[in-house]
Amino acid sequence: MRSNYILMMIVLAFFMSCENKAPHIEDVICGGNFRYWYKQGAPNRYHYFDVNGRKENFCISRSGEFMEILMPDFEMSTTWKPINDSTIIMYYDIEYHVKIINKETIVLNDDTLHVLKDYKYIPKDYQKLLGDDIVTGGFGKQNRIIK
């Protein structure tokens, strides 16, 4: 009887040690700090995600300038948050279902994002996250606080 108990404990310990240690969705999306992604259908359009739940949209203009996408008549949501490992909320509480996610690709509903590996087009000011920049991230002139 005692040997069965010990055997069960060994088997249980084995299965617990083999638990899948897949990264959480937020670690993949923001890379532990911040990360830029680009749309497959619009490679000059960038999505910025950071660990504070901030999301911004940028593009490279026809003149080659890296700029934030602003719509004066429409206030865009600048937040994101994961609900679980298959759903994130962006753009005013709209749920996006994550069909595929790995360190290189995210497929959301019908939108495919690819991680940006080369930051040569992104000015250094837009890559800050520490100190005072934790609120604005260097994006825009107004302070945006995530609640």
Side-chain angles (χ1 to χ4, degrees):
M1 183 74 162
R2 184 169 169 88
S3 62
N4 286 344
Y5 176 75
I6 293 172
L7 181 61
M8 288 296 284
M9 292 305 288
I10 291 171
V11 170
L12 182 61
F14 173 75
F15 283 117
M16 289 178 70
S17 68
C18 294
E19 181 182 342
N20 186 6
K21 302 286 185 189
H24 293 282
I25 192 169
E26 57 267 23
D27 293 332
V28 174
I29 291 175
C30 66
N33 194 359
F34 70 90
R35 188 174 268 174
Y36 283 92
W37 297 80
Y38 65 92
K39 291 179 77 166
Q40 180 171 320
N44 65 338
R45 179 133 182 220
Y46 299 94
H47 298 275
Y48 167 93
F49 296 90
D50 73 16
V51 296
N52 299 314
R54 193 178 71 241
K55 182 193 182 310
E56 302 285 348
N57 294 305
F58 295 91
C59 68
I60 296 178
S61 69
R62 291 183 183 183
S63 64
E65 180 184 3
F66 185 82
M67 56 193 285
E68 184 174 2
I69 297 173
L70 297 173
M71 298 180 178
D73 296 339
F74 179 75
E75 185 177 329
M76 294 176 66
S77 173
T78 59
T79 62
W80 74 280
K81 69 178 177 181
I83 297 301
N84 54 44
D85 283 342
S86 63
T87 308
I88 60 175
I89 289 184
M90 295 188 296
Y91 305 114
Y92 301 104
D93 296 332
I94 297 173
E95 290 186 4
Y96 285 81
H97 299 286
V98 179
K99 294 179 179 179
I100 298 171
I101 186 164
N102 59 46
K103 292 181 180 180
E104 310 241 339
T105 306
I106 303 173
V107 178
L108 301 169
N109 296 353
D110 295 325
D111 203 5
T112 301
L113 304 177
H114 298 283
V115 71
L116 182 65
K117 295 179 182 176
D118 185 359
Y119 282 38
K120 67 182 177 184
Y121 295 111
I122 300 176
K124 296 286 184 200
D125 291 346
Y126 289 101
Q127 297 179 35
K128 294 180 182 178
L129 188 63
L130 304 174
D132 294 336
D133 257 353
I134 207 156
V135 174
T136 63
F139 303 113
K141 294 179 173 70
Q142 61 188 10
N143 289 344
R144 297 177 181 160
I145 300 174
I146 306 298
K147 294 182 181 180

